[in-house]
Amino acid sequence: MTHRTNHYGQPIGAPLPDWTPRIAPPRTPMTGRYCAVEPLDPARHSNDLFASFLAAPDDRDWTYLWTERPADRVAFDHEIERAASAEDLITFAIVDHATGRALGLASYMRIDPANGSIEIGSINFSRALMRNRAGTEAMFLMMRRVFDELGYRRYEWKCDALNAPSRAAAARYGFRFEGIFRQAMVTKGRNRDTAWFSIIDGEFPAIRAAFEAWLAPDNFSPDDTQRARLAAFRDTVLT
């Protein structure tokens, strides 16, 4: 890679003469073919979310989340109220068009308008949303808002380095692995090494094209099986 140099002969980054700070993401819905991503509203979404998460036979889907699965409805409602009212993140419910039910959650966090960086996190898909094209579309809608609507430069994904499903999901969606922050956190009384991933604005056009191709109705057979993987479409765009 060739770098510019300053008058001391030191390598420096590319100039950004037209860069201006971006606005924070709005708390407004994003609607796709298979789902809607709606600002979390306890009155509208709590019943669906509680039923969806309660349907799991055990707590393994909560192992790497910040909290344990709430033990009862009172505790669950408290967590939903806390997430909906938080000022340092924006939490959305993912509503499946096929059922009309809220089946999962995801948040914008570490929002940095000055530098054009934002993280997608606190992702919690119920079993009904896992391996469902509505869940993939929700991730695309949130990504598209960040890059196409708001003009951010960087989109981050972070997870426990031991969370293999989350790391696989990040790679599937097109995030690039950046490394491990060792002993980055203490969560639930345990050490957490954090795996970092990102997408930057110059990479997004190819990723967008792959998502759009994968989400097209003709990519699915009558029994709802995908005809081609998301990564295959991304590889095609990049070659």
Side-chain angles (χ1 to χ4, degrees):
M1 179 183 296
T2 301
H3 290 282
R4 299 167 60 245
T5 58
N6 64 11
H7 60 285
Y8 299 112
Q10 298 167 311
I12 57 175
L16 299 172
D18 299 322
W19 173 256
T20 57
R22 296 323 193 217
I23 64 170
R27 295 177 185 264
T28 56
M30 295 162 267
T31 302
R33 181 181 284 117
Y34 308 112
C35 76
V37 180
E38 302 177 351
L40 180 60
D41 180 346
R44 295 186 56 223
H45 300 130
S46 286
N47 286 340
D48 288 346
L49 291 168
F50 182 72
S52 298
F53 292 134
L54 190 67
D58 54 44
D59 292 345
R60 70 185 62 200
D61 298 334
W62 295 72
T63 297
Y64 300 108
L65 298 178
W66 303 110
T67 62
E68 303 293 355
R69 181 164 64 166
D72 53 41
R73 182 59 190 266
V74 172
F76 182 82
D77 285 348
H78 174 76
E79 284 301 313
I80 293 298
E81 292 281 356
R82 180 195 60 77
S85 61
E87 296 183 356
D88 58 342
L89 75 165
I90 305 174
T91 300
F92 294 89
I94 300 167
V95 179
D96 177 29
H97 284 330
T99 62
R101 296 173 56 215
L103 300 179
L105 298 167
S107 302
Y108 288 139
M109 51 202 305
R110 287 173 56 94
I111 301 166
D112 183 357
N115 293 298
S117 178
I118 192 168
E119 178 182 345
I120 174 71
S122 295
I123 300 168
N124 192 353
F125 283 9
S126 68
R127 294 292 177 92
L129 192 57
M130 296 177 184
R131 300 186 181 279
N132 179 334
R133 67 181 99 167
T136 296
E137 184 179 53
M139 295 295 96
F140 173 53
L141 292 173
M142 294 184 73
M143 193 183 302
R144 190 174 65 183
R145 168 162 287 182
V146 166
F147 287 116
D148 286 346
E149 296 180 27
L150 302 176
Y152 276 60
R153 304 175 62 233
R154 174 180 170 85
Y155 196 47
E156 298 180 336
W157 178 294
K158 303 185 187 75
C159 63
D160 190 311
L162 299 176
N163 188 348
S166 183
R167 294 181 67 162
R172 176 175 178 263
Y173 296 141
F175 288 82
R176 294 193 184 186
F177 177 62
E178 295 184 328
I180 303 291
F181 278 37
R182 300 178 301 163
Q183 296 188 185
M185 306 180 73
V186 177
T187 58
K188 299 180 178 178
R190 306 188 301 258
N191 175 64
R192 171 174 142 161
D193 296 346
T194 297
W196 285 54
F197 300 80
S198 73
I199 296 170
I200 58 176
D201 52 1
E203 298 163 349
F204 185 61
I207 291 171
R208 184 203 305 114
F211 269 108
E212 290 172 345
W214 187 86
L215 290 165
D218 61 8
N219 186 44
F220 296 89
S221 62
D223 67 355
D224 212 34
T225 301
Q226 65 177 356
R227 301 184 191 278
R229 296 177 301 112
L230 179 57
F233 286 113
R234 192 164 57 249
D235 291 344
T236 298
V237 171
L238 293 173
T239 56

